[in-house]
Amino acid sequence: DVAVSPTRLRLASSFSTFYLVIPSNTLIGGSLLTFKLSCSAPFDNEFGASSTTVVMNSPPKPGKFEVYPSQGVELRDQFLFNAQQWIDTDLPIYFQFEYLSSSESIVVLQSRSVVSYGYAQLPAGLDSEGNDVRAFVQTFDNLNANTSMRYSVKVKRGAPIALSQMTDFISSSCNRSAFSVDELKKLNALSSYLINSVNCSATPNCSALNRKNCAKTTNTCGACKSSAYIGDSIDSNSPCFLPSTTTDFNPTCDISSECVQPRVCVNHTCEYPQKDCINQCSNHGKCVYVDRNTMLTVLDCKINDERCVARCNCEIDYIDSQWCQLTREEQVMKQAMRAQVIDNVQYLLSQEYPDQFTVPGWISSLSDSAQAPDELTDTTVSGILDTTNKIVEIVSRAEVSGHVLSNLFTVVDSATSYIAQRPQTTDSDTVTALNRTLTSLESLNAALSTTLLPGQNPIESTQTNFRATVAVVTPVKGNPISLALPQSQSELLLETPTSSISILGHNTSSASFEVSLVSLRASFYRNGTKFKANPLSIRLPAKTCGTKDAQCFIDLILQHSRQFSTQEHFPTSLVKVKCFLGVKEKSKHSCPSGLTIESTCNGSYSGVLSYRCPSAQVSAACSMLLNGKVSSSDRPVCSLVNYTTSNSTCRCDLHALNSLQLGSVGSSRLLQESSTSSSQSQSVSVTTLLNAVADNVKATVLSAADLNESQIQKQWTVMLTICTLIATAIVCMAVGHRWDLQNDKKDLIKQKLDRIHSAETSKHAAAAMKNKHKARHHLNKVVRKARRDELVLLEESLPRVLSDTHFAEKFFAEVRRHHRWFAVACFYSDSFPRSLRVLSLTTNIIVMLFVQSITYNLTNPNDGSCASYRTQEDCLKPLSAFGNGDQKCSWSGSGCEFVEPVTNFTVVLFVAVFSAVVSTPIAMLQSSLISKYLAAPIRSHINERVTTFNNNNDIYNKSTNSGKNKYVFSRSLFSFHDSKEVDDSTWKSFADLAAGIKRYRLTLTGHQQCEFDCLWGLDSSGNFLT
């Protein structure tokens, strides 16, 4: 049975649609095929059948394919690819020439065309395979039926090529416009070969290890030679072994020959050996073991354990290389060459028409160019992911199979491997890398789902950093929808359970829909070291569930990274770390409780250090992830329903997931709209946490023995300094508040005197109005006073620097009013009290000192290494962390001493400038918060100011019956509607200003206009309140 979809179905109705899916390259060309459908109704004893016959198109009849010469030297000899005597009735016949690279990917040398020959240089074949290179010709008829023929040619290695020569060869492709598409393909193929070529001369016997020959990693065998073996999934020189050896062995031994391989005798016990770093870190680093999922350091990593991996901590000059084999300069050259090859692939995408024949060549070239993650950069990884997304976008125009498109998983895995090795300096870096990876995987999964039919076997991929499953399912009433992640060969052979989902209560009335699962390693998430299972991300249609009244859940079985117990108390334990003289490193270690501790080797000691894990009580919980971290929503969507030492079962309410609004598509990964489908979809990421509560008091008491008199004295000095600063600030705030109260009293007295004067003036005015002559005289007097008052008001409304006073007076006035320190004592403001200004200044000082102290410790810490040097030469060799050429240590004759930053003006200046730059935004923020919120006027204070302003507001209106001399003094500051009412030029200027202020008032928002009216004592129409 060649079908990959079910061939027997139970139909719920007489009208049903189902698909028969047959893999490609299965049916025989030219054959006559009959497809038959049989139906039966056993209860009614009725049977029926129907059939149809089709004739399969046959590919071109085989002719000849040869390569001349049959042997040659890499990068020197030109080889002729020649195809002859191919025939077919569906003309024309097309030819495409290819070869199989050492990484077992097809490399296209000449694209599909009617030309039956071509020339190309070839790379050398593997020494372990007799230098054979397998060349192919693909022939197509006019209906795209195709067949292939192989020809082996021997290509020997030439003289060794230096990195500088490789750079010159690859840089020749920079001028892409000078090459045809086929010429650029050939050049890019050889470039990929050069940067991926490795030295396999010292490789052990890979056949004896049950592994493939050396091809990708220097002097290292490939993966296990078949799926029947268990072993490390990456390139390694550790043996692969049959599953039977996991149970059939002798527990005790005296020598290793008494143990069933690959076990060895250790302390009279047959055990699996520890994993080794590739090439022993090239003698430029130390081999350590880390948990593959959390990247935490572990002490034990045997060859049968796929949860851990061996990696190198390289010396400083080799730190950028994964296995410490390249110096920094060599690494930079390799990175530049890979960047050029990736750019060429991106260029080919813009020059070729996407179809089922060109897209596989793009994917193959992109995969070869990204083969070594440690030789990538941020820019090239961005280019790789962008190219992947572009291929996914344009694949809708090409009939590309899911098998071909799934090769992009390998490309994305290379990019994620680089991201995993690259240190994420901030949380935003982690979130950005995580979102880019998940976005690429989701778009790829969506594209793969378009190549699937309902009921077809899921597309699965198991990579180094993630696993993915894509399927198109058809809901069936009463049956849950189940889907699982793929497993490695070792997990399958050892019958290890995997993470899976089961959807209960789904909408059975809906059509078939896509479901995708992605599980990324926990190390890609913020606080991923606390995760006990790699997060599982599920993507479903938004309408997976039926009505809200019906229950709809999704059960997730999460496989634990390691076995853990829940509701268990963990006592204190020791973690031993081996340090080496001259090697500085910091590493994190996982305690049995799940807590993490950090160890430090400063390079001045060689031996074993012991760190203590605190005692802790742990409990399990299911947590939903949002933006790469555990969601803090108070509406839990997922809950823990079952927990074992090896897995957890979480149940998530899909109705709650639909209703939960946690941001827009761009900022939230919880609810999002699919970019490849018109229908909405929802995504949820779930993991298992063990919440460990440490006994901090016990840990503190146990560590108190490390304290000494000097440390205690320093701590008391720090506490006394901080307390003195806080006490000084409180005293200054109290004094400033008292001064503000005194100024308030003075203002109240002045306001009372002004009201008394205003009342007396009103009485004189009323008495003067009884006499016509006196009334006119009094009115003129009032008008002149009003002009003077309004000119004073105009001058006060402008900046003081424009006032008509002496420069020295203006300077000192501005200093008293605006200087941050002098204004506290010399300037009174009812809108910004002195106490709050003192608080703002104190906060600025504390922030500055805090940032400066952190900067001091980070930039040039005294790690004690200087005291370990015994000669002047060794003492003066280390350089300052600033990279300014200064020595880190100084030789005093009696010994080597650390150079404190205070003794170097450059260091002090750098720390001061850096502290100011970092603390300034924080200081501006807190000043803004204090002035905007703490200093905001309260309602009673606003009413008091408005009442005071209204009591001082005099109203004058005077008009003559003749209309010749007409003065209008309205309560509104903005009452100058007609400039003809003002004869004097000064009044006209003031009228223009008032009109401009009125226009400015109209541009203010509601809240701003309210503050403006309260300040000026205006009503909603802009008139003074009576």
Side-chain angles (χ1 to χ4, degrees):
D1 188 2
V2 298
V4 294
S5 61
T7 57
R8 299 179 63 90
L9 298 172
R10 182 181 297 274
L11 305 181
S13 64
S14 58
F15 298 97
S16 299
T17 300
F18 59 93
Y19 298 89
L20 178 66
V21 183
I22 300 175
S24 59
N25 303 319
T26 301
L27 304 180
I28 302 174
S31 60
L32 192 67
L33 300 178
T34 300
F35 293 88
K36 184 178 180 181
L37 175 65
S38 301
C39 300
S40 63
F43 297 104
D44 297 332
N45 198 25
E46 295 181 357
F47 301 89
S50 179
S51 63
T52 183
T53 302
V54 297
V55 178
M56 296 301 300
N57 179 35
S58 59
K61 296 293 189 297
K64 293 182 178 180
F65 172 57
E66 296 177 317
V67 179
Y68 302 100
S70 59
Q71 60 181 5
V73 179
E74 64 173 359
L75 305 179
R76 188 192 71 182
D77 297 332
Q78 285 282 350
F79 294 87
L80 170 64
F81 289 65
N82 188 27
Q84 297 177 354
Q85 302 175 9
W86 292 80
I87 58 175
D88 195 277
T89 56
D90 301 314
L91 299 176
I93 299 177
Y94 300 93
F95 302 89
Q96 179 170 290
F97 298 111
E98 309 163 340
Y99 75 88
L100 189 67
S101 70
S102 59
S103 60
E104 299 185 350
S105 60
I106 294 295
V107 179
V108 179
L109 296 174
Q110 183 169 300
S111 302
R112 182 171 177 259
S113 69
V114 295
V115 180
S116 61
Y117 64 93
Y119 293 91
Q121 291 178 324
L122 291 175
L126 296 176
D127 295 335
S128 58
E129 297 180 0
N131 301 120
D132 278 350
V133 175
R134 284 167 283 182
F136 297 88
V137 61
Q138 292 257 22
T139 59
F140 307 83
D141 66 9
N142 196 36
L143 299 178
N144 288 333
N146 69 299
T147 185
S148 63
M149 184 174 286
R150 187 183 77 175
Y151 188 92
S152 294
V153 56
K154 290 186 180 294
V155 184
K156 297 181 179 180
R157 294 185 179 274
I161 302 176
L163 280 178
S164 58
Q165 294 175 303
M166 290 187 192
T167 302
D168 295 339
F169 179 84
I170 295 175
S171 61
S172 64
S173 63
C174 292
N175 185 16
R176 290 186 285 260
S177 59
F179 301 95
S180 66
V181 171
D182 285 338
E183 288 174 338
L184 187 58
K185 282 185 176 182
K186 298 172 185 176
L187 182 60
N188 220 39
L190 293 176
S191 299
S192 296
Y193 161 71
L194 287 175
I195 57 178
N196 290 330
S197 60
V198 295
N199 181 11
C200 295
S201 59
T203 308
N205 186 350
C206 297
S207 180
L209 298 174
N210 297 319
R211 287 186 172 275
K212 295 180 181 179
N213 293 320
C214 171
K216 298 181 180 180
T217 309
T218 302
N219 294 324
T220 306
C221 298
C224 295
K225 62 183 180 182
S226 75
S227 58
Y229 290 89
I230 300 174
D232 206 339
S233 57
I234 63 174
D235 289 357
S236 174
N237 289 332
S238 62
C240 295
F241 49 93
L242 294 171
S244 59
T245 61
T246 61
T247 56
D248 183 17
F249 69 96
N250 298 320
T252 60
C253 62
D254 291 323
I255 57 176
S256 295
S257 60
E258 297 177 356
C259 300
V260 178
Q261 291 184 349
R263 287 182 172 86
V264 294
C265 191
V266 179
N267 296 328
H268 300 286
T269 303
C270 291
E271 295 182 359
Y272 286 106
Q274 299 285 347
K275 293 182 180 179
D276 289 329
C277 284
I278 292 178
N279 298 318
Q280 297 299 316
C281 299
S282 306
N283 297 322
H284 295 297
K286 185 182 74 168
C287 187
V288 296
Y289 303 131
V290 296
D291 187 285
R292 191 190 293 269
N293 297 309
T294 63
M295 301 309 292
L296 291 175
T297 303
V298 295
L299 300 180
D300 184 74
C301 184
K302 294 183 169 58
I303 63 172
N304 65 324
D305 190 355
E306 286 202 7
R307 296 169 300 183
C308 62
V309 64
R311 62 182 302 178
C312 293
N313 283 347
C314 302
E315 298 172 1
I316 189 66
D317 292 335
Y318 298 83
I319 198 168
D320 294 328
S321 180
Q322 182 178 7
W323 304 113
C324 314
Q325 74 273 27
L326 297 175
T327 64
R328 283 187 171 181
E329 293 77 11
E330 293 171 338
Q331 191 79 359
V332 169
M333 296 174 69
K334 278 290 195 79
Q335 290 170 348
M337 288 187 281
R338 288 198 181 272
Q340 180 62 49
V341 174
I342 293 171
D343 287 344
N344 291 343
V345 176
Q346 293 174 322
Y347 177 77
L348 288 174
L349 262 66
S350 64
Q351 298 300 308
E352 289 189 290
Y353 180 79
D355 56 30
Q356 65 198 68
F357 311 111
T358 58
V359 171
W362 296 344
I363 297 176
S364 176
S365 298
L366 189 61
S367 177
D368 284 345
S369 63
Q371 182 172 301
D374 62 321
E375 295 173 10
L376 302 177
T377 63
D378 291 350
T379 304
T380 52
V381 166
S382 179
I384 289 171
L385 294 179
D386 290 342
T387 306
T388 300
N389 294 335
K390 188 174 182 180
I391 292 176
V392 169
E393 289 175 6
I394 66 179
V395 79
S396 59
R397 304 195 296 269
E399 297 179 359
V400 179
S401 67
H403 172 72
V404 172
L405 194 59
S406 62
N407 291 327
L408 282 174
F409 281 123
T410 305
V411 178
V412 178
D413 186 60
S414 295
T416 53
S417 294
Y418 166 78
I419 295 173
Q421 296 170 11
R422 174 183 178 272
Q424 309 296 332
T425 55
T426 63
D427 284 345
S428 60
D429 289 343
T430 305
V431 172
T432 301
L434 174 65
N435 286 344
R436 290 213 62 180
T437 303
L438 288 178
T439 299
S440 297
L441 289 175
E442 285 185 358
S443 61
L444 179 55
N445 287 342
L448 287 170
S449 66
T450 62
T451 67
L452 294 174
L453 294 174
Q456 186 175 347
N457 292 339
I459 296 177
E460 299 177 336
S461 179
T462 301
Q463 301 294 332
T464 305
N465 299 292
F466 63 85
R467 302 182 183 191
T469 299
V470 184
V472 176
V473 298
T474 302
V476 178
K477 186 176 181 179
N479 294 334
I481 298 174
S482 300
L483 199 64
L485 285 174
Q487 294 178 282
S488 66
Q489 189 61 31
S490 298
E491 292 171 337
L492 289 173
L493 294 174
L494 296 175
E495 298 181 352
T496 304
T498 184
S499 298
S500 60
I501 66 166
S502 182
I503 306 174
L504 309 173
H506 49 80
N507 185 5
T508 57
S509 62
S510 63
S512 302
F513 57 86
E514 170 227 333
V515 181
S516 64
L517 307 179
V518 173
S519 179
L520 220 86
R521 297 201 183 278
S523 58
F524 287 89
Y525 294 80
R526 280 188 287 182
N527 298 323
T529 55
K530 298 181 180 179
F531 299 171
K532 301 312 166 194
N534 290 330
L536 183 60
S537 299
I538 307 100
R539 183 169 173 267
L540 298 165
K543 297 182 179 179
T544 302
C545 298
T547 61
K548 292 185 177 180
D549 298 333
Q551 290 186 340
C552 187
F553 298 98
I554 179 171
D555 285 349
L556 301 92
I557 300 178
L558 302 176
Q559 189 67 26
H560 292 166
S561 302
R562 292 183 179 273
Q563 291 190 350
F564 294 95
S565 300
T566 182
Q567 297 297 342
E568 181 177 344
H569 182 269
F570 287 88
T572 59
S573 58
L574 293 179
V575 173
K576 295 184 178 181
V577 181
K578 191 173 183 180
C579 297
F580 296 90
L581 189 65
V583 178
K584 301 178 183 179
E585 62 176 345
K586 289 185 178 181
S587 57
K588 291 184 178 181
H589 304 266
S590 178
C591 297
S593 62
L595 296 172
T596 58
I597 61 174
E598 185 175 278
S599 65
T600 301
C601 294
N602 59 21
S604 61
Y605 171 75
S606 181
V608 177
L609 296 179
S610 296
Y611 289 84
R612 176 163 294 181
C613 289
S615 61
Q617 181 74 29
V618 299
S619 61
C622 291
S623 298
M624 189 171 57
L625 302 179
L626 179 64
N627 284 335
K629 65 178 182 179
V630 176
S631 173
S632 58
S633 172
D634 55 358
R635 299 170 56 190
V637 175
C638 302
S639 60
L640 182 70
V641 295
N642 188 35
Y643 188 94
T644 67
T645 57
S646 59
N647 59 68
S648 320
T649 301
C650 301
R651 173 164 291 184
C652 300
D653 187 348
L654 290 181
H655 286 308
L657 178 64
N658 282 331
S659 61
L660 189 61
Q661 301 295 328
L662 290 177
S664 63
V665 177
S667 61
S668 174
R669 298 208 55 82
L670 181 63
L671 297 176
Q672 53 187 307
E673 185 175 353
S674 174
S675 60
T676 59
S677 175
S678 59
S679 61
Q680 288 188 339
S681 63
Q682 58 185 348
S683 293
V684 60
S685 297
V686 181
T687 189
T688 305
L689 295 176
L690 280 181
N691 297 322
V693 181
D695 189 354
N696 292 324
V697 175
K698 190 173 182 179
T700 302
V701 172
L702 290 174
S703 62
D706 296 333
L707 297 177
N708 54 47
E709 183 179 357
S710 176
Q711 291 175 329
I712 296 176
Q713 184 177 0
K714 288 181 180 179
Q715 292 177 2
W716 274 109
T717 304
V718 172
M719 292 184 62
L720 182 62
T721 303
I722 295 175
C723 291
T724 302
L725 178 61
I726 295 175
T728 304
I730 293 175
V731 171
C732 292
M733 291 173 66
V735 173
H737 181 66
R738 181 167 183 174
W739 287 356
D740 284 342
L741 292 177
Q742 294 176 353
N743 288 117
D744 285 340
K745 290 182 180 180
K746 292 181 182 179
D747 283 351
L748 289 175
I749 295 174
K750 183 179 179 181
Q751 291 173 5
K752 290 181 180 179
L753 293 176
D754 289 342
R755 286 198 292 271
I756 294 173
H757 178 71
S758 177
E760 292 178 352
T761 302
S762 300
K763 291 180 181 179
H764 290 303
M769 289 300 174
K770 297 178 180 179
N771 186 292
K772 184 177 182 180
H773 177 73
K774 290 183 178 181
R776 183 180 298 278
H777 176 73
H778 181 73
L779 180 60
N780 292 336
K781 182 177 179 181
V782 170
V783 168
R784 288 193 297 272
K785 183 177 182 303
R787 288 180 177 178
R788 290 194 302 270
D789 292 344
E790 290 177 350
L791 287 175
V792 171
L793 177 63
L794 176 62
E795 183 175 349
E796 290 181 350
S797 66
L798 298 175
R800 290 183 177 271
V801 294
L802 302 178
S803 61
D804 188 18
T805 57
H806 194 269
F807 172 78
E809 183 178 350
K810 289 190 288 186
F811 173 77
F812 288 112
E814 289 296 313
V815 170
R816 287 194 300 270
R817 183 183 181 91
H818 297 292
H819 193 275
R820 294 182 64 86
W821 294 86
F822 294 151
V824 174
C826 303
F827 179 72
Y828 165 72
S829 172
D830 57 352
S831 62
F832 198 4
R834 287 185 173 94
S835 57
L836 294 183
R837 281 181 273 169
V838 172
L839 176 62
S840 178
L841 286 175
T842 305
T843 307
N844 289 347
I845 295 172
I846 293 176
V847 170
M848 183 70 176
L849 292 176
F850 177 74
V851 175
Q852 194 169 3
S853 64
I854 293 179
T855 309
Y856 174 85
N857 291 330
L858 290 177
T859 53
N860 211 339
N862 185 359
D863 55 8
S865 61
C866 292
S868 63
Y869 298 127
R870 295 293 179 261
T871 64
Q872 183 176 0
E873 181 181 359
D874 293 338
C875 177
L876 301 179
K877 186 180 297 183
L879 298 180
S880 171
F882 288 95
N884 54 6
D886 294 340
Q887 275 78 25
K888 177 181 178 180
C889 313
S890 64
W891 184 259
S892 61
S894 59
C896 188
E897 298 177 355
F898 175 72
V899 178
E900 296 289 345
V902 293
T903 63
N904 190 320
F905 176 75
T906 305
V907 174
V908 175
L909 180 63
F910 173 81
V911 170
V913 172
F914 184 79
S915 301
V917 171
V918 174
S919 61
T920 297
I922 303 176
M924 293 176 65
L925 175 62
Q926 63 85 18
S927 297
S928 176
L929 293 176
I930 291 176
S931 62
K932 186 175 182 180
Y933 295 104
L934 295 182
I938 59 176
R939 186 180 298 276
S940 59
H941 185 54
I942 294 176
N943 295 336
E944 180 183 352
R945 290 172 58 187
V946 172
T947 303
T948 304
F949 188 88
N950 293 337
N951 292 336
N952 293 332
N953 183 44
D954 293 331
I955 305 167
Y956 297 98
N957 289 308
K958 176 65 181 177
S959 176
T960 60
N961 295 330
S962 60
K964 293 181 180 179
N965 298 317
K966 184 176 182 180
Y967 298 93
V968 179
F969 295 91
S970 174
R971 288 172 300 165
S972 174
L973 177 65
F974 315 114
S975 60
F976 295 91
H977 302 292
D978 190 357
S979 61
K980 294 181 180 179
E981 298 177 357
V982 184
D983 296 327
D984 188 88
S985 60
T986 303
W987 282 91
K988 184 174 181 179
S989 300
F990 186 75
D992 293 340
L993 178 62
I997 295 176
K998 180 177 181 180
R999 288 193 298 271
Y1000 169 74
R1001 179 183 178 275
L1002 295 177
T1003 62
L1004 300 177
T1005 62
H1007 178 69
Q1008 295 172 335
Q1009 197 175 92
C1010 179
E1011 291 185 353
F1012 186 85
D1013 292 345
C1014 290
L1015 179 64
W1016 288 90
L1018 307 175
D1019 59 16
S1020 59
S1021 301
N1023 297 326
F1024 283 114
L1025 299 171
T1026 57

